[in-house]
Amino acid sequence: MAVLMAVVLAPQCVASEQLRERIEALQAGYAAAAGGEPLIATRALGDFYEARGYTRAWIRPELQDAWMNVLEGIASDGLAPRDYHAEALARLLEDDGASLAPESQADLDLLLSDSFLLLASHLLDGKVNPETADPEWKADRHERELYKMLAQALDSGNLVATVDALRPSQGGYLALRSAHSRLAAMANMAWPPIPDGPSLRVGDSDERLSAIRQRLRLLGDLDAPEAGEPVADNYDALLESAMKSFQRRHGLEDDGIIGPATLAMVNLTPAQRLEMVDLNMERWRWLPDTLGPRYILVNIAAFELEVVQDGQVVLEKPVIVGQPYRRTPVFSDQIRYLVFNPTWTVPAKLIVQDKLPQILQDPGYLERLGFQVYQGWGTDRRRVAPAGVDWTRVSARNLPYQLVQAPGPQNALGQVKFMFPNKYDVYLHDTPSRELFAKKARTFSSGCIRLKDPLELAELLLKGKAGWDDARIRSVLASRATTTVLLDHPMPIHLQYWTAWVDGSGTLQFRSDVYGRDPAVLAALHKARTPGTAAQ
């Protein structure tokens, strides 16, 4: 019996020795591979195997099978199984894993562990680090000791439950995950571009309308035809209604006219839509574990603000965001106070780039719009007359002045601003240029977010605060005195950039990538990881 046990245990001992040698090489800083593939989560692998005395972790076949099933399903998260050694693992598991040579057993164990640690890090924090691709994007990182989670999952056998707990649990993410599954079924469908031509209106006849009608049915905007109903080449009222719905969920003018912009969205293939869903799921993985029971969400790409309470949208407003060359950044913070009748101190960059050309062209510009000019800063600054400044000598290198706009109907910040102090100097505020809210694409600001009907948000935030009913707000506004009000309970605010999402009615929405942020994320999602880049 002793001889038999020695024969059985010998391969296990050899496999453990193989594990020890490779992990020690990793810890010494050398690259290591298993099954012909590089190991990625190098530090976490070292911690995991060192903690278990370099013994194999994946001996039980049911654990191996469970993990392969997990990898088969992760495409619904917009992630590729090949990034987690799925093909190499399948090759090693073609035969009974227990019959593998000791070196291959070590390969199998290392690849399974690396696969778990890598996928866990991607579900938890995203595959892409947004801050390396976009300096205007601040992500929330989640601190977890993933090697301990792996040990617990293997001990309990609950690999699937562990993975489910790692992916975002918010309804927005899960809805996109369902949308991925629906679009994936169409991804390989032939979708030849419908050619350009004259804009189409109700009553028109055009051979392209048959293809357009079919596309809207496939995308769910138009009901399937009744039995025996002919496919018409004329633009009827039923198609117009479906087209308006399609336009609304793509952020287009819902006039029913099929022009170039609408046709471009109709020509967006299921595979392209799938990529948009995938990269926006990735953006969800950059968010905090919870947005809060009550919060403000600004979708920059959709030019919309929502106030959400207990999962329900209680206020929805259009917003104006930064111009493409002054993009509104992405981050989460808290609104801590409001300022009624705010003054506006013009940032130095805007003085030179925006205001100086107007001052030189129109000497009365500053006085007419209520700007005061100060020389110097802080307590030493002194007010000077605009006419006494030689504006031709002012430049980015020679700017000893401040411009401060007094409260009033022409103040650039309007009647109220909502402050969440941040390094970008971005906040929400009113605007006197209210006509711009009628535009569909609203990229007009210098980075801050202008809000339509901001007093509704102010009233909502101050509801229940002693002494701040609607009458008090109106009285303060009428006084034109700058008044700061601290919130008793700061309101979480999340500035996000989603070009695909599922709204509260279950409709999959798409928007144009107005800042050109999508390609970098998509390229990074498709890029293979290199050793040491996984969350540890």
Side-chain angles (χ1 to χ4, degrees):
M1 179 65 72
V3 173
L4 179 61
M5 289 296 295
V7 171
V8 173
L9 293 175
Q12 299 290 346
C13 294
V14 174
S16 292
E17 188 58 34
Q18 289 278 338
L19 286 172
R20 178 186 292 274
E21 290 177 1
R22 296 195 210 178
I23 293 302
E24 288 178 347
L26 282 175
Q27 292 173 324
Y30 294 101
E37 298 210 352
L39 297 172
I40 309 299
T42 53
R43 194 177 74 200
L45 277 174
D47 292 338
F48 176 68
Y49 282 103
E50 184 177 26
R52 60 182 298 108
Y54 305 100
T55 58
R56 289 182 61 202
W58 297 80
I59 296 175
R60 291 157 55 190
E62 64 269 22
L63 293 177
Q64 301 168 6
D65 293 342
W67 188 249
M68 295 305 290
N69 288 334
V70 167
L71 293 185
E72 285 182 14
I74 62 166
S76 293
D77 292 282
L79 300 171
R82 66 176 179 273
D83 289 339
Y84 309 100
H85 312 304
E87 294 171 2
L89 286 169
R91 289 194 299 270
L92 287 169
L93 290 169
E94 283 178 346
D95 301 317
D96 181 8
S99 65
L100 293 172
E103 183 175 353
S104 294
Q105 289 184 5
D107 282 348
L108 177 61
D109 219 79
L110 286 166
L111 285 177
L112 285 165
S113 295
D114 197 53
S115 176
F116 175 96
L117 293 166
L118 189 56
L119 177 58
S121 73
H122 291 176
L123 288 175
L124 193 63
D125 283 323
K127 179 181 178 182
V128 181
N129 181 352
E131 295 169 37
T132 62
D134 189 339
E136 296 164 344
W137 204 297
K138 178 75 174 91
D140 287 82
R141 314 311 290 176
H142 306 84
E143 297 298 328
R144 301 284 196 284
E145 291 186 294
L146 296 181
Y147 79 95
K148 291 184 179 180
M149 295 185 70
L150 172 56
Q152 293 165 0
L154 291 172
D155 288 344
S156 66
N158 291 329
L159 286 166
V160 174
T162 300
V163 170
D164 286 342
L166 285 166
R167 66 169 50 91
S169 60
Q170 291 100 328
Y173 180 89
L174 299 178
L176 279 179
R177 193 166 183 263
S178 296
H180 172 105
S181 298
R182 295 194 301 272
L183 285 170
M186 302 168 56
N188 296 321
M189 185 179 295
W191 205 271
I194 298 170
D196 294 335
S199 294
L200 300 173
R201 295 170 171 81
V202 173
D204 288 346
S205 294
D206 193 291
E207 61 183 8
R208 295 173 296 162
L209 286 166
S210 293
I212 291 172
R213 194 183 301 271
Q214 181 189 31
R215 297 283 171 87
L216 295 191
R217 284 185 172 129
L218 290 170
L219 293 171
D221 295 286
L222 181 62
D223 291 337
E226 298 291 336
E229 178 183 326
V231 177
D233 286 346
N234 65 296
Y235 196 171
D236 57 17
L238 185 63
L239 180 58
E240 181 193 34
S241 177
M243 180 53 68
K244 288 182 176 181
S245 172
F246 176 88
Q247 289 172 326
R248 283 192 293 273
R249 73 184 188 92
H250 288 81
L252 302 168
E253 192 71 47
D254 58 343
D255 53 11
I257 300 172
I258 307 175
T262 295
L263 189 61
M265 284 297 189
V266 172
N267 277 328
L268 199 65
T269 68
Q272 290 171 316
R273 292 174 182 275
L274 189 63
E275 288 183 332
M276 292 178 70
V277 167
D278 289 351
L279 68 89
N280 282 283
M281 274 197 287
E282 174 74 358
R283 287 170 173 152
W284 270 98
R285 294 189 282 263
W286 301 337
L287 281 164
D289 289 327
T290 176
L291 302 182
R294 185 170 179 255
Y295 60 88
I296 293 172
L297 174 69
V298 176
N299 186 353
I300 298 165
F303 316 113
E304 293 290 342
L305 173 146
E306 293 179 344
V307 180
V308 180
Q309 185 164 337
D310 298 326
Q312 301 297 316
V313 176
V314 297
L315 185 67
E316 187 173 5
K317 292 292 179 184
V319 298
I320 292 167
V321 300
Q323 301 168 70
Y325 61 95
R326 289 178 182 164
R327 304 187 302 181
T328 299
V330 176
F331 62 99
S332 296
D333 210 304
Q334 290 185 320
I335 295 177
R336 292 172 169 80
Y337 62 94
L338 281 60
V339 181
F340 291 109
N341 301 316
T343 60
W344 180 41
T345 301
V346 185
K349 181 178 180 180
L350 299 189
I351 292 178
V352 175
Q353 294 182 357
D354 294 0
K355 300 302 176 187
L356 186 57
Q358 297 181 74
I359 295 169
L360 292 172
Q361 185 177 2
D362 178 6
Y365 172 81
L366 293 177
E367 185 175 358
R368 188 172 65 256
L369 293 185
F371 283 99
Q372 298 171 352
V373 183
Y374 292 89
Q375 186 170 12
W377 288 265
T379 56
D380 295 330
R381 75 176 187 176
R382 61 185 183 87
R383 187 173 173 181
V384 297
V389 176
D390 184 355
W391 294 104
T392 63
R393 302 187 63 181
V394 172
S395 67
R397 293 186 176 183
N398 179 37
L399 184 60
Y401 302 106
Q402 285 183 304
L403 297 182
V404 180
Q405 191 176 28
Q410 299 190 84
N411 185 282
L413 306 185
Q415 294 181 299
V416 60
K417 65 179 181 178
F418 305 81
M419 298 301 294
F420 40 104
N422 57 82
K423 67 178 183 179
Y424 307 103
D425 198 23
V426 163
Y427 43 89
L428 292 174
H429 64 82
D430 184 15
T431 176
S433 304
R434 297 182 175 93
E435 72 282 357
L436 295 177
F437 289 108
K439 306 287 187 181
K440 274 295 181 180
R442 296 187 289 274
T443 52
F444 301 114
S445 84
S446 296
C448 283
I449 300 153
R450 305 177 193 172
L451 176 63
K452 185 178 182 181
D453 302 325
L455 294 182
E456 290 186 40
L457 178 60
E459 291 166 2
L460 187 152
L461 293 179
L462 294 177
K463 187 175 182 179
K465 183 176 177 65
W468 281 97
D469 57 12
D470 295 351
R472 173 75 184 283
I473 292 174
R474 289 194 297 272
S475 173
V476 168
L477 290 173
S479 74
R480 292 200 180 179
T482 300
T483 306
T484 298
V485 188
L486 297 177
L487 296 183
D488 295 335
H489 304 286
M491 172 72 93
I493 181 168
H494 306 280
L495 308 186
Q496 291 303 305
Y497 186 88
W498 287 327
T499 50
W501 75 98
V502 178
D503 66 19
S505 67
T507 301
L508 180 58
Q509 300 275 342
F510 292 97
R511 292 296 184 272
S512 296
D513 179 17
V514 291
Y515 286 170
R517 283 172 163 161
D518 283 1
V521 180
L522 191 61
L525 270 178
H526 289 168
K527 185 178 180 181
R529 299 301 292 245
T530 56
T533 59
Q536 304 294 311

